Amino acid sequence: MSGRRGGARWTPPLRRRRSGPDWATQTPTWRQARPALIAEALKRASARPSGNWFVVGASRGIRAAGGPYGRTVGGTEVVLWRSDTGELRAGPGVCPHLGAPLRDSRVVCGTLVCHWHGLALDGSPYAGWQPFPVHDDGVLVWVRLDEVGGEEPTRSPVVPPRPAAGSGVDAVYTGVGRCEPQDVVANRLDPWHGSWFHPYSFVDLTVAREPEGEEDDAFVVDVSFRVAGRLVVPVRAEFTAPEPRTVVMRITDGEGETSVVETHATPLTGAGAERPRTAVVEAVVAASGRRGFALARFAAPALRPLMRRTAGRLWRDDLAYAERRWELRSTGRFPG
């Protein structure tokens, strides 16, 4: 098919990959993936302020007229729910009366009602129960925990720029691993492992530019996403870390330009836990300038499970990577 649409020549979204090296004969990347370079990028990310905000889950996972949503963040039980007008509420997940788990309670007309003795919470301070600041960015929900974060609090979290509202299709994947947030972030700040560790998804990966300091802290990567057989989607992507627990991959050239993959690492256990656990909350916001993409937005409910499965397959391996890194660090066999 050929022709012009809007003054630009139509091109197919997929490319047929020319015959190239297979997994065993591709160029090794271990010399480029210098531990010191990755450690410096992680150090810079860790020094950036978060304002004590933590991602807890998908915005659509907490519905008006639905039940409460519970999450433990940094050892603190948190409960979230929506009022009958859809406004988000959050606070401690322990009932101030006798300690019932509020995540198992009910929401009645926008009020959280404890299932042990009927104590009702509308989101306002009550009997020592103090609400937590919360933020809904339309894709993800964040909660501010000042005692856990220990930083100067901010009014809102560092939400990365995304495609314009309503122009993309988003899906959120959540997984849990035995590691600390820094191990998840370090995984994402190592783009060189892509075509070696994930050959089922990535081929022909090269790092076109490494970070050059505080003012230019991005990894720029040329890579092809494998679709089926030799059919691939080549893109240029940029990896940045806007705050200590977030890494963003943004497509800057090629199919799906402006699409983002946000990886958020939320600690579940408190600092210094003997067996730390971290939740990976990954938001994929796909966008395209193609006219046919409107159909994808229409079919978003059917596409989201597929997008989550794709992310889950990658994170099955990447959580093993992060867990291995933590295991080596915790036993003194690897610096960190």
Side-chain angles (χ1 to χ4, degrees):
M1 181 176 180
S2 62
R4 294 182 178 274
R5 295 183 179 181
R9 183 177 180 82
W10 183 88
T11 57
L14 304 180
R15 305 286 190 276
R16 183 174 175 81
R17 180 177 181 246
R18 295 180 179 178
S19 179
D22 60 19
W23 183 86
T25 58
Q26 64 182 316
T27 302
T29 58
W30 66 270
R31 294 183 187 277
Q32 289 74 40
R34 304 187 301 279
L37 177 64
I38 297 169
E40 282 299 313
L42 177 62
K43 181 180 178 180
R44 287 192 292 270
S46 300
R48 297 187 176 113
S50 71
N52 302 328
W53 290 93
F54 298 84
V55 169
V56 293
S59 176
R60 67 173 53 85
I62 307 172
R63 304 184 306 276
Y69 178 92
R71 169 70 79 189
T72 299
V73 178
T76 298
E77 288 185 60
V78 178
V79 64
L80 304 97
W81 76 97
R82 293 192 187 274
S83 70
D84 52 2
T85 60
E87 187 175 353
L88 197 62
R89 313 286 194 200
V94 178
C95 180
H97 175 226
L98 284 176
L102 292 175
R103 69 177 68 190
D104 296 332
S105 295
R106 297 184 183 182
V107 177
V108 181
C109 298
T111 297
L112 183 64
V113 180
C114 178
H115 63 304
W116 277 17
H117 300 94
L119 186 146
L121 298 167
D122 64 3
S124 303
Y126 183 80
W129 188 93
Q130 291 290 329
F132 295 140
V134 69
H135 181 86
D136 185 346
D137 65 28
V139 176
L140 297 171
V141 166
W142 308 64
V143 65
R144 199 184 81 196
L145 301 174
D146 294 338
E147 291 187 5
V148 175
E151 300 178 13
E152 186 70 23
T154 57
R155 295 187 63 181
S156 60
V158 180
V159 180
R162 297 173 179 153
S167 66
V169 175
D170 65 271
V172 178
Y173 163 82
T174 300
V176 175
R178 186 188 300 170
C179 60
E180 295 177 330
Q182 66 155 295
D183 301 301
V184 172
V185 174
N187 169 273
R188 276 296 181 259
L189 295 179
D190 169 19
W192 292 278
H193 77 270
S195 56
W196 283 100
F197 204 42
H198 308 293
Y200 48 82
S201 289
F202 308 118
V203 292
D204 304 328
L205 186 153
T206 59
V207 176
R209 183 163 57 82
E210 300 172 357
E212 297 178 0
E214 289 290 347
E215 302 302 319
D216 182 13
D217 203 30
F219 292 90
V220 178
V221 175
D222 292 322
V223 62
S224 291
F225 294 97
R226 189 190 296 274
V227 178
R230 292 173 63 183
L231 293 177
V232 298
V233 180
V235 302
R236 170 162 284 197
E238 180 180 273
F239 290 78
T240 56
E243 58 112 80
R245 294 176 291 276
T246 300
V247 177
V248 179
M249 185 204 77
R250 183 180 312 280
I251 296 179
T252 58
D253 189 38
E255 188 66 29
E257 185 176 350
T258 75
S259 297
V260 298
V261 177
E262 299 174 13
T263 303
H264 302 272
T266 299
L268 303 183
T269 47
E274 184 177 348
R275 297 167 66 88
R277 297 174 71 244
T278 295
V280 174
V281 184
E282 187 161 276
V284 180
V285 187
S288 174
R290 294 179 180 272
R291 292 182 181 180
F293 191 71
L295 180 61
R297 292 198 299 271
F298 178 78
L303 289 175
R304 287 190 183 106
L306 176 61
M307 294 167 71
R308 285 194 293 269
R309 283 197 297 271
T310 300
R313 186 182 185 188
L314 287 169
W315 274 109
R316 176 196 63 196
D317 291 337
D318 278 340
L319 275 173
Y321 176 119
E323 289 176 337
R324 172 69 173 175
R325 185 179 188 274
W326 174 80
E327 179 186 355
L328 293 176
R329 286 193 307 106
S330 65
T331 55
R333 289 179 287 167
F334 193 84

